[in-house]
Amino acid sequence: MSAPPTFAQARGRREKARAAGLHPDYWYAVEYDRAVRPGAITEVTFWGTSIALWRDVAGALHAVENRCAHRQLKLTLGSVEGCRLACAYHGWGYDADGRLAHIPHELFGRPMPDVRLRTYPVRVRYGLIWIFPGDPALAETRHIPDIPELEGPAAWPCVPLDFTWRAHHSMIVDNVSDFTHAWLHRKYRPFENARLRRCDLVGERVVVSYDTEVGRGRVSGRFVDRRRINTSAMDLCYEYPYQWSNTDGKIRHWCFFLPIDASTTRTFFLFYFESLNVPLTPVRIPRALMRLVLRVSNRLLIGPLLAQDGVAVEAEQRGWEAHHDRPVPDLNPAVALFQQLTVRKWEEHLASAARVARERPAPAAS
Amino acid sequence: MTPPTFEEAVNPRQRVRAAGLDPDHWYAVEYARALPRGTTRATRFWGVPIILWRDGDGALHAIDDRRLPCDRFGAPLACAAVEGYPVQARYGLVWIFPGDPARAAHRPLPAVPELEGPDPWAYVPIDFTWRTHHSMVVDNLCDLTHAHLHRRFASFHPGRLLHCEADDDRVLMRYEARVGPLVRRGVAPSPMTICYEYPYHWASFEWSGIRGRIKYWTFLLPMDARTTRMFFVMMYDALRVAALPVPLSRRVVRWLLQAAQPTVRRLLDQDGAALEAEQAGYEAHWAAPLLELNPAVSQLHRLTIRKWEACLERAGTAA
């Protein structure tokens, strides 16, 4: 049994999509803001590249390539010393700019080495830490998606949840936007009897609309205020490299993907609701209680629902690795568009990376 | 991409990290007490699987496991007439000579007089198997700039390299350092001699504030290109603490050292964690530019590389 083809070897749209990475010139959610306390370091991997994410004692976040220039140990094994990140072994300390700023032992009469590690732009938004893994010069021109409902004094309540699945990111994109898998969720019935009304690839977006019955679950359905919300249709969008859904402007979600490597993806799900009903009554749950309700529903309803997707996409990944050369009868035309966009963006990235490599002088062999 | 082989290597670090250790030396492979009569033990030397066993008469044997005939249940046939490696027991360890057996008689074991005679020094053996190249272990043992790693232990303070000299077979370094249980600010540093006496390592020093020599040997067993077992043989003479009226006899020292064993192990575990991380880092970033400050490290690398080149040349001539 052969391994699935690489992107260069891939023939056809699906093989290419399953080998493609995500374009690094975007902002990627990598961790919860609250998960990295002052003085803490955590390892983040973007498409096989290891990054040390750390917060100095003053509270500022930094992201730097995860290796000490001396003996190449991962800096995530080290410690935060004030406003420097120190390697565990010899204690070499790097400042916020990735510059080697401190060596705690004698220099043997040599000058302080002039070393600078690659750093990555970092931002915090929606309670998440975002990193820009691509060309830092582009970081200012690209934007973290604007979600007006999640900001400002009247922000809708939102309790994010996340999963790390052993599956390629393109399988998760297919999963979250292709509603032909209602069967998988027949116990929770988040959408039923979906019929694709339209799907279009425009620029960097695939917009999909379904006529479907939203939120028909025996328990979850009781929270939905059907008098105010039209639950007979849903719009979805693969807004590269993110994904969102919208039901009548009142029930929405965003997915943010972190492609850890070719078969591992972490996904942050942000569901937000304008309001929810107290079950069996016409009364809306007060805003002050919404976070608590969402926390419970993440645990009892949304989490288990998404865990079903996790089981399915992980099984799909294994199936792909075993049977990648089998023909695929995909019926939903939206899936073809998702894959087309993923492939095109990755080809763009490879082309620009090749251009940069051509323009940069070859590094001298030491 | 995997790190380059010795032949492909383009700089000294890549070369030293691909070098083996010359098999024409004696290598400690096991504790003698770990091999009672009628038992076997498996080990490896630079990728070659080796079976050690002690027969019913108490004699030790070591043989290339790939050549060992087995009975139909897989147990080695101890009486089989297969030529094994020269093997001997000394200092509580089993030693084998994995190279040309004809040279074994001319190559002495490292001399450790402290462990012989009627009143040997107090001796604490401790061993580790780490997923790391042997040259990284040698760097670690000989380069005292990694005090940061042990900063939670009050017993180890930065050393300063006073002198470093190298000849064909060894690199000798003199440091001054503050080490031992009495270390605290104000204690005068004591001299420390460290030697990479190919393919072994030893250090000789006194604990700061305590009279009485300490010497330890490290016997490395390069199991393969990224796995190294090491036997630390730490020996202590009678110790004289200024505050105590009488010196601590070797018997008392031995007892104290047994009690301190878990602490010693925790300290060396830190080295193990760092070295395994260094091995992983090297495998990921072997092409990164070189950055070494301690001139002793370059000398250590040069010796390991030169010895391995000579070894390959000999093997080439023989072939």
Side-chain angles (χ1 to χ4, degrees), chain A residues 67 70-72 77 79 87-91 105-106 108 110 115, chain B residues 139-140 145 148-149 151 160-161 277-278 281 285 291-294:
Chain A
R67 61 172 191 96
H70 179 212
R71 293 294 182 93
Q72 317 301 324
L77 299 169
S79 54
C87 176
Y89 196 177
H90 299 83
H105 58 75
E106 66 163 322
F108 303 93
R110 297 167 198 243
V115 169
Chain B
D139 290 355
N140 172 272
T145 60
H148 175 84
L149 177 68
R151 65 198 180 282
R160 206 159 65 83
L161 183 67
E278 182 180 356
H285 304 290
L291 191 50
E292 259 335 314
L293 297 175
N294 190 342

PDB file of all heavy atoms in Angstrom, chain A residues 67 70-72 77 79 87-91 105-106 108 110 115, chain B residues 139-140 145 148-149 151 160-161 277-278 281 285 291-294:
ATOM      1  N   ARG A  67      13.630  27.101  18.438  1.00  0.00           N
ATOM      2  CA  ARG A  67      14.929  26.436  18.547  1.00  0.00           C
ATOM      3  C   ARG A  67      15.935  27.446  19.064  1.00  0.00           C
ATOM      4  O   ARG A  67      15.896  28.629  18.710  1.00  0.00           O
ATOM      5  CB  ARG A  67      15.407  25.903  17.190  1.00  0.00           C
ATOM      6  CG  ARG A  67      15.579  26.991  16.162  1.00  0.00           C
ATOM      7  CD  ARG A  67      16.234  26.527  14.889  1.00  0.00           C
ATOM      8  NE  ARG A  67      16.578  27.697  14.080  1.00  0.00           N
ATOM      9  CZ  ARG A  67      17.779  28.265  14.072  1.00  0.00           C
ATOM     10  NH1 ARG A  67      18.777  27.745  14.772  1.00  0.00           N
ATOM     11  NH2 ARG A  67      17.999  29.342  13.354  1.00  0.00           N
ATOM     12  N   HIS A  70      22.054  27.911  19.566  1.00  0.00           N
ATOM     13  CA  HIS A  70      23.277  27.252  20.017  1.00  0.00           C
ATOM     14  C   HIS A  70      23.217  25.755  19.749  1.00  0.00           C
ATOM     15  O   HIS A  70      23.871  25.246  18.858  1.00  0.00           O
ATOM     16  CB  HIS A  70      23.459  27.567  21.508  1.00  0.00           C
ATOM     17  CG  HIS A  70      24.663  26.954  22.136  1.00  0.00           C
ATOM     18  ND1 HIS A  70      24.675  26.577  23.457  1.00  0.00           N
ATOM     19  CD2 HIS A  70      25.882  26.646  21.644  1.00  0.00           C
ATOM     20  CE1 HIS A  70      25.856  26.072  23.745  1.00  0.00           C
ATOM     21  NE2 HIS A  70      26.603  26.092  22.668  1.00  0.00           N
ATOM     22  N   ARG A  71      22.364  25.040  20.488  1.00  0.00           N
ATOM     23  CA  ARG A  71      22.304  23.587  20.352  1.00  0.00           C
ATOM     24  C   ARG A  71      20.961  23.103  19.807  1.00  0.00           C
ATOM     25  O   ARG A  71      20.667  21.923  19.863  1.00  0.00           O
ATOM     26  CB  ARG A  71      22.613  22.929  21.693  1.00  0.00           C
ATOM     27  CG  ARG A  71      24.061  23.134  22.167  1.00  0.00           C
ATOM     28  CD  ARG A  71      25.024  22.420  21.238  1.00  0.00           C
ATOM     29  NE  ARG A  71      26.413  22.541  21.653  1.00  0.00           N
ATOM     30  CZ  ARG A  71      27.045  21.650  22.427  1.00  0.00           C
ATOM     31  NH1 ARG A  71      26.418  20.621  22.897  1.00  0.00           N
ATOM     32  NH2 ARG A  71      28.321  21.816  22.721  1.00  0.00           N
ATOM     33  N   GLN A  72      20.152  24.008  19.324  1.00  0.00           N
ATOM     34  CA  GLN A  72      18.902  23.670  18.623  1.00  0.00           C
ATOM     35  C   GLN A  72      17.853  23.016  19.516  1.00  0.00           C
ATOM     36  O   GLN A  72      16.958  22.331  19.026  1.00  0.00           O
ATOM     37  CB  GLN A  72      19.170  22.771  17.397  1.00  0.00           C
ATOM     38  CG  GLN A  72      20.350  23.174  16.547  1.00  0.00           C
ATOM     39  CD  GLN A  72      20.237  24.575  15.971  1.00  0.00           C
ATOM     40  OE1 GLN A  72      19.149  25.007  15.622  1.00  0.00           O
ATOM     41  NE2 GLN A  72      21.330  25.293  15.901  1.00  0.00           N
ATOM     42  N   LEU A  77      11.083  24.191  25.893  1.00  0.00           N
ATOM     43  CA  LEU A  77      11.566  23.454  27.069  1.00  0.00           C
ATOM     44  C   LEU A  77      12.206  24.402  28.075  1.00  0.00           C
ATOM     45  O   LEU A  77      12.587  23.990  29.170  1.00  0.00           O
ATOM     46  CB  LEU A  77      12.594  22.397  26.651  1.00  0.00           C
ATOM     47  CG  LEU A  77      12.071  21.324  25.689  1.00  0.00           C
ATOM     48  CD1 LEU A  77      13.222  20.504  25.123  1.00  0.00           C
ATOM     49  CD2 LEU A  77      11.079  20.427  26.408  1.00  0.00           C
ATOM     50  N   SER A  79      12.497  28.567  29.812  1.00  0.00           N
ATOM     51  CA  SER A  79      11.713  29.296  30.804  1.00  0.00           C
ATOM     52  C   SER A  79      11.687  30.773  30.438  1.00  0.00           C
ATOM     53  O   SER A  79      12.562  31.262  29.728  1.00  0.00           O
ATOM     54  CB  SER A  79      12.345  29.114  32.194  1.00  0.00           C
ATOM     55  OG  SER A  79      13.716  29.484  32.147  1.00  0.00           O
ATOM     56  N   CYS A  87      16.743  29.446  26.979  1.00  0.00           N
ATOM     57  CA  CYS A  87      16.872  28.024  26.642  1.00  0.00           C
ATOM     58  C   CYS A  87      17.167  27.234  27.919  1.00  0.00           C
ATOM     59  O   CYS A  87      17.860  27.710  28.815  1.00  0.00           O
ATOM     60  CB  CYS A  87      17.993  27.836  25.627  1.00  0.00           C
ATOM     61  SG  CYS A  87      18.311  26.100  25.246  1.00  0.00           S
ATOM     62  N   ALA A  88      16.644  26.015  27.976  1.00  0.00           N
ATOM     63  CA  ALA A  88      16.783  25.206  29.189  1.00  0.00           C
ATOM     64  C   ALA A  88      18.233  24.822  29.476  1.00  0.00           C
ATOM     65  O   ALA A  88      18.617  24.668  30.633  1.00  0.00           O
ATOM     66  CB  ALA A  88      15.952  23.927  29.049  1.00  0.00           C
ATOM     67  N   TYR A  89      19.041  24.668  28.434  1.00  0.00           N
ATOM     68  CA  TYR A  89      20.342  24.004  28.602  1.00  0.00           C
ATOM     69  C   TYR A  89      21.401  24.976  29.128  1.00  0.00           C
ATOM     70  O   TYR A  89      21.845  24.876  30.263  1.00  0.00           O
ATOM     71  CB  TYR A  89      20.735  23.388  27.256  1.00  0.00           C
ATOM     72  CG  TYR A  89      21.830  22.345  27.295  1.00  0.00           C
ATOM     73  CD1 TYR A  89      22.208  21.676  26.121  1.00  0.00           C
ATOM     74  CD2 TYR A  89      22.488  21.998  28.467  1.00  0.00           C
ATOM     75  CE1 TYR A  89      23.193  20.704  26.128  1.00  0.00           C
ATOM     76  CE2 TYR A  89      23.483  21.031  28.476  1.00  0.00           C
ATOM     77  CZ  TYR A  89      23.830  20.393  27.299  1.00  0.00           C
ATOM     78  OH  TYR A  89      24.822  19.433  27.283  1.00  0.00           O
ATOM     79  N   HIS A  90      21.804  25.944  28.307  1.00  0.00           N
ATOM     80  CA  HIS A  90      22.863  26.863  28.727  1.00  0.00           C
ATOM     81  C   HIS A  90      22.321  28.230  29.134  1.00  0.00           C
ATOM     82  O   HIS A  90      23.086  29.122  29.462  1.00  0.00           O
ATOM     83  CB  HIS A  90      23.896  27.033  27.610  1.00  0.00           C
ATOM     84  CG  HIS A  90      24.584  25.754  27.235  1.00  0.00           C
ATOM     85  ND1 HIS A  90      24.023  24.847  26.362  1.00  0.00           N
ATOM     86  CD2 HIS A  90      25.761  25.213  27.623  1.00  0.00           C
ATOM     87  CE1 HIS A  90      24.840  23.802  26.222  1.00  0.00           C
ATOM     88  NE2 HIS A  90      25.893  23.988  26.976  1.00  0.00           N
ATOM     89  N   GLY A  91      20.983  28.384  29.041  1.00  0.00           N
ATOM     90  CA  GLY A  91      20.368  29.614  29.532  1.00  0.00           C
ATOM     91  C   GLY A  91      20.445  30.799  28.587  1.00  0.00           C
ATOM     92  O   GLY A  91      20.206  31.931  29.009  1.00  0.00           O
ATOM     93  N   HIS A 105      26.850  32.614  30.989  1.00  0.00           N
ATOM     94  CA  HIS A 105      28.173  32.063  31.312  1.00  0.00           C
ATOM     95  C   HIS A 105      29.242  32.845  30.558  1.00  0.00           C
ATOM     96  O   HIS A 105      28.921  33.705  29.734  1.00  0.00           O
ATOM     97  CB  HIS A 105      28.236  30.566  30.979  1.00  0.00           C
ATOM     98  CG  HIS A 105      27.935  30.247  29.541  1.00  0.00           C
ATOM     99  ND1 HIS A 105      28.832  30.480  28.519  1.00  0.00           N
ATOM    100  CD2 HIS A 105      26.823  29.732  28.946  1.00  0.00           C
ATOM    101  CE1 HIS A 105      28.301  30.093  27.367  1.00  0.00           C
ATOM    102  NE2 HIS A 105      27.070  29.648  27.592  1.00  0.00           N
ATOM    103  N   GLU A 106      30.501  32.525  30.844  1.00  0.00           N
ATOM    104  CA  GLU A 106      31.578  33.313  30.237  1.00  0.00           C
ATOM    105  C   GLU A 106      31.574  33.160  28.712  1.00  0.00           C
ATOM    106  O   GLU A 106      31.109  32.140  28.169  1.00  0.00           O
ATOM    107  CB  GLU A 106      32.921  32.885  30.818  1.00  0.00           C
ATOM    108  CG  GLU A 106      33.341  31.473  30.464  1.00  0.00           C
ATOM    109  CD  GLU A 106      34.843  31.254  30.709  1.00  0.00           C
ATOM    110  OE1 GLU A 106      35.640  32.171  30.453  1.00  0.00           O
ATOM    111  OE2 GLU A 106      35.189  30.163  31.164  1.00  0.00           O
ATOM    112  N   PHE A 108      34.368  33.359  26.901  1.00  0.00           N
ATOM    113  CA  PHE A 108      35.687  32.886  26.471  1.00  0.00           C
ATOM    114  C   PHE A 108      36.386  33.927  25.593  1.00  0.00           C
ATOM    115  O   PHE A 108      37.035  33.607  24.606  1.00  0.00           O
ATOM    116  CB  PHE A 108      35.564  31.548  25.724  1.00  0.00           C
ATOM    117  CG  PHE A 108      34.885  30.481  26.553  1.00  0.00           C
ATOM    118  CD1 PHE A 108      33.515  30.276  26.456  1.00  0.00           C
ATOM    119  CD2 PHE A 108      35.611  29.724  27.467  1.00  0.00           C
ATOM    120  CE1 PHE A 108      32.881  29.330  27.242  1.00  0.00           C
ATOM    121  CE2 PHE A 108      34.981  28.776  28.251  1.00  0.00           C
ATOM    122  CZ  PHE A 108      33.617  28.579  28.139  1.00  0.00           C
ATOM    123  N   ARG A 110      35.176  35.988  23.576  1.00  0.00           N
ATOM    124  CA  ARG A 110      34.569  36.280  22.274  1.00  0.00           C
ATOM    125  C   ARG A 110      33.501  37.354  22.437  1.00  0.00           C
ATOM    126  O   ARG A 110      32.980  37.561  23.526  1.00  0.00           O
ATOM    127  CB  ARG A 110      33.917  35.024  21.702  1.00  0.00           C
ATOM    128  CG  ARG A 110      34.926  33.924  21.424  1.00  0.00           C
ATOM    129  CD  ARG A 110      34.192  32.620  21.171  1.00  0.00           C
ATOM    130  NE  ARG A 110      35.092  31.492  21.318  1.00  0.00           N
ATOM    131  CZ  ARG A 110      35.400  30.650  20.331  1.00  0.00           C
ATOM    132  NH1 ARG A 110      34.881  30.806  19.141  1.00  0.00           N
ATOM    133  NH2 ARG A 110      36.220  29.640  20.543  1.00  0.00           N
ATOM    134  N   VAL A 115      22.873  37.176  16.883  1.00  0.00           N
ATOM    135  CA  VAL A 115      21.948  36.145  16.416  1.00  0.00           C
ATOM    136  C   VAL A 115      20.528  36.652  16.564  1.00  0.00           C
ATOM    137  O   VAL A 115      20.189  37.266  17.568  1.00  0.00           O
ATOM    138  CB  VAL A 115      22.104  34.862  17.275  1.00  0.00           C
ATOM    139  CG1 VAL A 115      20.976  33.887  16.995  1.00  0.00           C
ATOM    140  CG2 VAL A 115      23.442  34.206  17.000  1.00  0.00           C
TER     141      VAL A 115
ATOM    142  N   ASP B 139      30.281  16.445  25.298  1.00  0.00           N
ATOM    143  CA  ASP B 139      30.179  17.916  25.394  1.00  0.00           C
ATOM    144  C   ASP B 139      29.604  18.316  26.750  1.00  0.00           C
ATOM    145  O   ASP B 139      30.099  19.225  27.414  1.00  0.00           O
ATOM    146  CB  ASP B 139      29.237  18.470  24.309  1.00  0.00           C
ATOM    147  CG  ASP B 139      29.828  18.363  22.903  1.00  0.00           C
ATOM    148  OD1 ASP B 139      30.988  17.954  22.779  1.00  0.00           O
ATOM    149  OD2 ASP B 139      29.099  18.685  21.944  1.00  0.00           O
ATOM    150  N   ASN B 140      28.542  17.629  27.120  1.00  0.00           N
ATOM    151  CA  ASN B 140      27.845  17.959  28.365  1.00  0.00           C
ATOM    152  C   ASN B 140      28.746  17.782  29.578  1.00  0.00           C
ATOM    153  O   ASN B 140      28.782  18.603  30.493  1.00  0.00           O
ATOM    154  CB  ASN B 140      26.600  17.070  28.471  1.00  0.00           C
ATOM    155  CG  ASN B 140      25.894  17.185  29.806  1.00  0.00           C
ATOM    156  OD1 ASN B 140      26.219  16.482  30.743  1.00  0.00           O
ATOM    157  ND2 ASN B 140      24.940  18.090  29.896  1.00  0.00           N
ATOM    158  N   THR B 145      29.564  25.219  30.977  1.00  0.00           N
ATOM    159  CA  THR B 145      28.766  26.431  30.777  1.00  0.00           C
ATOM    160  C   THR B 145      27.272  26.169  30.924  1.00  0.00           C
ATOM    161  O   THR B 145      26.475  27.083  30.751  1.00  0.00           O
ATOM    162  CB  THR B 145      29.006  27.046  29.384  1.00  0.00           C
ATOM    163  OG1 THR B 145      28.641  26.081  28.386  1.00  0.00           O
ATOM    164  CG2 THR B 145      30.461  27.435  29.196  1.00  0.00           C
ATOM    165  N   HIS B 148      23.206  26.781  34.039  1.00  0.00           N
ATOM    166  CA  HIS B 148      21.797  27.225  34.009  1.00  0.00           C
ATOM    167  C   HIS B 148      20.836  26.041  34.143  1.00  0.00           C
ATOM    168  O   HIS B 148      19.815  26.131  34.827  1.00  0.00           O
ATOM    169  CB  HIS B 148      21.535  27.965  32.694  1.00  0.00           C
ATOM    170  CG  HIS B 148      20.100  28.363  32.495  1.00  0.00           C
ATOM    171  ND1 HIS B 148      19.555  29.513  33.015  1.00  0.00           N
ATOM    172  CD2 HIS B 148      19.088  27.749  31.836  1.00  0.00           C
ATOM    173  CE1 HIS B 148      18.279  29.591  32.685  1.00  0.00           C
ATOM    174  NE2 HIS B 148      17.969  28.526  31.963  1.00  0.00           N
ATOM    175  N   LEU B 149      21.185  24.938  33.509  1.00  0.00           N
ATOM    176  CA  LEU B 149      20.316  23.751  33.539  1.00  0.00           C
ATOM    177  C   LEU B 149      20.108  23.267  34.966  1.00  0.00           C
ATOM    178  O   LEU B 149      19.039  22.766  35.306  1.00  0.00           O
ATOM    179  CB  LEU B 149      20.955  22.643  32.681  1.00  0.00           C
ATOM    180  CG  LEU B 149      20.243  21.298  32.624  1.00  0.00           C
ATOM    181  CD1 LEU B 149      18.917  21.414  31.876  1.00  0.00           C
ATOM    182  CD2 LEU B 149      21.131  20.254  31.949  1.00  0.00           C
ATOM    183  N   ARG B 151      20.274  25.084  37.752  1.00  0.00           N
ATOM    184  CA  ARG B 151      20.202  26.234  38.656  1.00  0.00           C
ATOM    185  C   ARG B 151      19.347  25.975  39.879  1.00  0.00           C
ATOM    186  O   ARG B 151      19.501  26.638  40.887  1.00  0.00           O
ATOM    187  CB  ARG B 151      19.717  27.474  37.905  1.00  0.00           C
ATOM    188  CG  ARG B 151      18.290  27.393  37.376  1.00  0.00           C
ATOM    189  CD  ARG B 151      18.049  28.450  36.302  1.00  0.00           C
ATOM    190  NE  ARG B 151      16.698  28.416  35.772  1.00  0.00           N
ATOM    191  CZ  ARG B 151      16.265  27.531  34.886  1.00  0.00           C
ATOM    192  NH1 ARG B 151      17.075  26.572  34.443  1.00  0.00           N
ATOM    193  NH2 ARG B 151      15.039  27.566  34.423  1.00  0.00           N
ATOM    194  N   ARG B 160      34.702  28.287  35.354  1.00  0.00           N
ATOM    195  CA  ARG B 160      35.442  29.156  34.441  1.00  0.00           C
ATOM    196  C   ARG B 160      36.580  28.314  33.882  1.00  0.00           C
ATOM    197  O   ARG B 160      37.284  27.636  34.629  1.00  0.00           O
ATOM    198  CB  ARG B 160      36.003  30.347  35.221  1.00  0.00           C
ATOM    199  CG  ARG B 160      36.229  31.594  34.398  1.00  0.00           C
ATOM    200  CD  ARG B 160      36.280  32.812  35.318  1.00  0.00           C
ATOM    201  NE  ARG B 160      37.436  32.743  36.221  1.00  0.00           N
ATOM    202  CZ  ARG B 160      38.669  33.127  35.858  1.00  0.00           C
ATOM    203  NH1 ARG B 160      38.917  33.607  34.662  1.00  0.00           N
ATOM    204  NH2 ARG B 160      39.669  33.033  36.714  1.00  0.00           N
ATOM    205  N   LEU B 161      36.701  28.300  32.577  1.00  0.00           N
ATOM    206  CA  LEU B 161      37.764  27.501  31.959  1.00  0.00           C
ATOM    207  C   LEU B 161      39.093  28.225  32.134  1.00  0.00           C
ATOM    208  O   LEU B 161      39.248  29.364  31.713  1.00  0.00           O
ATOM    209  CB  LEU B 161      37.470  27.307  30.468  1.00  0.00           C
ATOM    210  CG  LEU B 161      38.456  26.435  29.700  1.00  0.00           C
ATOM    211  CD1 LEU B 161      38.394  24.989  30.153  1.00  0.00           C
ATOM    212  CD2 LEU B 161      38.187  26.533  28.194  1.00  0.00           C
ATOM    213  N   ALA B 277      16.774  16.400  24.160  1.00  0.00           N
ATOM    214  CA  ALA B 277      16.230  17.549  23.418  1.00  0.00           C
ATOM    215  C   ALA B 277      17.252  18.050  22.402  1.00  0.00           C
ATOM    216  O   ALA B 277      16.895  18.475  21.299  1.00  0.00           O
ATOM    217  CB  ALA B 277      15.845  18.669  24.379  1.00  0.00           C
ATOM    218  N   GLU B 278      18.535  17.987  22.774  1.00  0.00           N
ATOM    219  CA  GLU B 278      19.569  18.412  21.823  1.00  0.00           C
ATOM    220  C   GLU B 278      19.602  17.459  20.625  1.00  0.00           C
ATOM    221  O   GLU B 278      19.740  17.891  19.475  1.00  0.00           O
ATOM    222  CB  GLU B 278      20.941  18.461  22.503  1.00  0.00           C
ATOM    223  CG  GLU B 278      22.014  18.962  21.535  1.00  0.00           C
ATOM    224  CD  GLU B 278      23.412  19.047  22.139  1.00  0.00           C
ATOM    225  OE1 GLU B 278      23.563  18.785  23.342  1.00  0.00           O
ATOM    226  OE2 GLU B 278      24.341  19.361  21.385  1.00  0.00           O
ATOM    227  N   GLY B 281      16.696  18.287  18.514  1.00  0.00           N
ATOM    228  CA  GLY B 281      16.948  19.574  17.864  1.00  0.00           C
ATOM    229  C   GLY B 281      17.938  19.430  16.724  1.00  0.00           C
ATOM    230  O   GLY B 281      17.769  20.017  15.647  1.00  0.00           O
ATOM    231  N   HIS B 285      17.375  20.407  12.914  1.00  0.00           N
ATOM    232  CA  HIS B 285      18.051  21.636  12.460  1.00  0.00           C
ATOM    233  C   HIS B 285      19.542  21.437  12.228  1.00  0.00           C
ATOM    234  O   HIS B 285      20.342  22.329  12.497  1.00  0.00           O
ATOM    235  CB  HIS B 285      17.845  22.757  13.490  1.00  0.00           C
ATOM    236  CG  HIS B 285      16.407  23.038  13.806  1.00  0.00           C
ATOM    237  ND1 HIS B 285      15.548  23.624  12.919  1.00  0.00           N
ATOM    238  CD2 HIS B 285      15.666  22.779  14.914  1.00  0.00           C
ATOM    239  CE1 HIS B 285      14.348  23.741  13.460  1.00  0.00           C
ATOM    240  NE2 HIS B 285      14.384  23.226  14.667  1.00  0.00           N
ATOM    241  N   LEU B 291      27.411  27.632  16.158  1.00  0.00           N
ATOM    242  CA  LEU B 291      27.584  28.700  17.134  1.00  0.00           C
ATOM    243  C   LEU B 291      28.087  28.054  18.416  1.00  0.00           C
ATOM    244  O   LEU B 291      27.311  27.485  19.166  1.00  0.00           O
ATOM    245  CB  LEU B 291      26.228  29.389  17.350  1.00  0.00           C
ATOM    246  CG  LEU B 291      26.227  30.690  18.132  1.00  0.00           C
ATOM    247  CD1 LEU B 291      27.261  31.658  17.606  1.00  0.00           C
ATOM    248  CD2 LEU B 291      24.849  31.314  18.059  1.00  0.00           C
ATOM    249  N   GLU B 292      29.394  28.062  18.630  1.00  0.00           N
ATOM    250  CA  GLU B 292      30.006  27.466  19.818  1.00  0.00           C
ATOM    251  C   GLU B 292      30.965  28.478  20.418  1.00  0.00           C
ATOM    252  O   GLU B 292      31.756  29.070  19.704  1.00  0.00           O
ATOM    253  CB  GLU B 292      30.816  26.230  19.422  1.00  0.00           C
ATOM    254  CG  GLU B 292      30.235  24.855  19.644  1.00  0.00           C
ATOM    255  CD  GLU B 292      29.191  24.655  20.715  1.00  0.00           C
ATOM    256  OE1 GLU B 292      29.385  25.151  21.841  1.00  0.00           O
ATOM    257  OE2 GLU B 292      28.195  23.977  20.425  1.00  0.00           O
ATOM    258  N   LEU B 293      30.899  28.665  21.713  1.00  0.00           N
ATOM    259  CA  LEU B 293      31.787  29.639  22.342  1.00  0.00           C
ATOM    260  C   LEU B 293      32.960  28.965  23.049  1.00  0.00           C
ATOM    261  O   LEU B 293      34.084  29.447  22.991  1.00  0.00           O
ATOM    262  CB  LEU B 293      31.000  30.486  23.350  1.00  0.00           C
ATOM    263  CG  LEU B 293      29.881  31.335  22.741  1.00  0.00           C
ATOM    264  CD1 LEU B 293      29.097  32.029  23.833  1.00  0.00           C
ATOM    265  CD2 LEU B 293      30.450  32.357  21.766  1.00  0.00           C
ATOM    266  N   ASN B 294      32.721  27.851  23.697  1.00  0.00           N
ATOM    267  CA  ASN B 294      33.758  27.218  24.515  1.00  0.00           C
ATOM    268  C   ASN B 294      34.797  26.544  23.620  1.00  0.00           C
ATOM    269  O   ASN B 294      34.473  25.603  22.893  1.00  0.00           O
ATOM    270  CB  ASN B 294      33.112  26.190  25.450  1.00  0.00           C
ATOM    271  CG  ASN B 294      34.086  25.668  26.487  1.00  0.00           C
ATOM    272  OD1 ASN B 294      35.302  25.805  26.326  1.00  0.00           O
ATOM    273  ND2 ASN B 294      33.556  25.072  27.535  1.00  0.00           N
TER     274      ASN B 294
END
